[in-house]
Amino acid sequence: MGAYPFGQQWFMTFYLLAKNKLLTLLVTTEEELKSCCVEVKKDVTPDASMNIQGTCCETNEEIENFITQFKCPDIQPKTVDDMYLGDPKGKKRDILPLSLYKNFNHFLANNTSAALESTLGKLDTFFKENGTKFAFSDNMTYADCVLMPRLHHVRVAAKELRDYEIPKSMKHLWRYMRDAYKEEAFNLSCPSDQDIIIHYQEKVGSSYRGHATIQATTFSCAIPEGILDHECGAPTAHHDSLKENGDQQNKHEEDEGIIDGGTGE
């Protein structure tokens, strides 16, 4: 899966479908990831009315169309379009997860942070106004599967490559990130900081003097100390501790039927 944001997005999506007992998730590794691909090699859903065996999805649009067949309220691609601020009848809505990633890449290439920080501020306002733990409820939905990988990439790569940090004043956004870091759907699929940095390194060219390939592996999945101390308690545990307990987590998931422990696709 590497640091390709769509890879984590789709892992999280299928993990949530498996958590809802709508399919059995089998995960395999590939030597080189060029694109996301979903292939149904055997019956993986308990719904006898769904004839999906033999399905092969090779584009993001095909995968989106495929997941709608499960009719899971939490996993509906159209919910991403509802993450915006402003007039719902407006001709052009600012879809926040999409604007975030566009402005993030523009920032890396041009070192101008105004548009990126504007979108981050809109996300902070969105989470302040929606009153739920995640994008649309207290459970993760497809919108979170789209947003959170990209938001985490912004946090890690912008800091390392452009010395930019998400403002600590955006407490509602940090609270959202803190809660997302606790979710297995995210932390089991989260790439290392170094993989994320390498993924974007060429966008900043020679201005980056670091050496991500020789750095010790880290996972920045805890919020900075002090941001939410007065409102939300202590920061979450670092992702390293989650990795150390990976075997127990995977055993729990296999027992619960979320992830198949065998091989296959």
Side-chain angles (χ1 to χ4, degrees):
M1 181 158 46
Y4 187 49
F6 278 106
Q8 188 178 13
Q9 170 185 321
W10 295 128
F11 178 96
M12 291 176 66
T13 300
F14 283 101
Y15 184 95
L16 294 179
L17 286 171
K19 189 174 182 180
N20 281 278
K21 302 188 184 305
L22 294 172
L23 55 76
T24 301
L25 180 61
L26 296 91
V27 180
T28 61
T29 57
E30 297 289 341
E31 290 185 4
E32 183 177 358
L33 179 65
K34 295 182 179 180
S35 63
C36 293
C37 178
V38 173
E39 186 172 1
V40 183
K41 288 190 173 180
K42 63 180 182 179
D43 186 12
V44 295
T45 174
D47 188 347
S49 66
M50 291 184 65
N51 183 21
I52 61 174
Q53 187 170 347
T55 299
C56 183
C57 305
E58 296 184 343
T59 68
N60 291 313
E61 183 179 4
E62 289 175 351
I63 299 174
E64 281 194 347
N65 291 334
F66 173 69
I67 63 176
T68 60
Q69 297 181 58
F70 292 92
K71 296 181 173 59
C72 177
D74 288 343
I75 307 299
Q76 294 298 320
K78 63 181 181 180
T79 59
V80 177
D81 294 339
D82 292 329
M83 287 199 70
Y84 67 92
L85 295 175
D87 183 2
K89 297 181 180 180
K91 292 183 178 180
K92 186 176 180 180
R93 294 184 296 182
D94 187 11
I95 309 302
L96 297 179
L98 306 184
S99 292
L100 175 71
Y101 202 58
K102 179 187 71 175
N103 292 332
F104 166 56
N105 280 283
H106 178 78
F107 166 59
L108 291 180
N110 299 283
N111 200 21
T112 53
S113 63
L116 173 62
E117 189 152 327
S118 174
T119 302
L120 290 169
K122 290 177 181 179
L123 280 166
D124 186 61
T125 300
F126 178 87
F127 288 114
K128 177 182 179 181
E129 294 179 351
N130 76 346
T132 55
K133 187 176 179 181
F134 295 113
F136 295 109
S137 73
D138 290 336
N139 297 314
M140 272 197 160
T141 65
Y142 179 73
D144 301 296
C145 297
V146 174
L147 172 63
M148 189 56 198
R150 290 158 178 79
L151 183 58
H152 184 66
H153 283 208
V154 170
R155 180 193 177 186
V156 173
K159 170 60 179 174
E160 178 68 19
L161 299 175
R162 290 297 190 191
D163 197 27
Y164 175 85
E165 296 184 80
I166 298 174
K168 293 182 179 180
S169 60
M170 297 182 183
K171 295 183 182 296
H172 304 283
L173 184 56
W174 280 108
R175 184 187 297 113
Y176 168 77
M177 295 172 68
R178 179 205 63 179
D179 291 338
Y181 285 148
K182 295 178 181 179
E183 294 292 312
E184 289 182 343
F186 179 83
N187 62 56
L188 288 176
S189 57
C190 183
S192 70
D193 296 348
Q194 288 67 39
D195 283 342
I196 293 173
I197 293 164
I198 292 169
H199 185 74
Y200 298 101
Q201 184 174 334
E202 65 180 32
K203 289 184 178 294
V204 301
S206 60
S207 63
Y208 177 62
R209 301 295 184 181
H211 300 281
T213 56
I214 62 174
Q215 295 175 0
T217 300
T218 57
F219 296 85
S220 296
C221 290
I223 66 172
E225 293 184 9
I227 290 183
L228 302 177
D229 282 357
H230 298 297
E231 295 181 310
C232 306
T236 61
H238 194 276
H239 187 54
D240 287 346
S241 64
L242 295 172
K243 288 293 184 182
E244 291 172 2
N245 294 318
D247 290 342
Q248 288 122 326
Q249 285 185 327
N250 290 337
K251 176 67 165 59
H252 168 71
E253 288 147 12
E254 290 171 20
D255 291 342
E256 293 294 320
I258 297 176
I259 298 180
D260 192 299
T263 59
E265 294 179 79

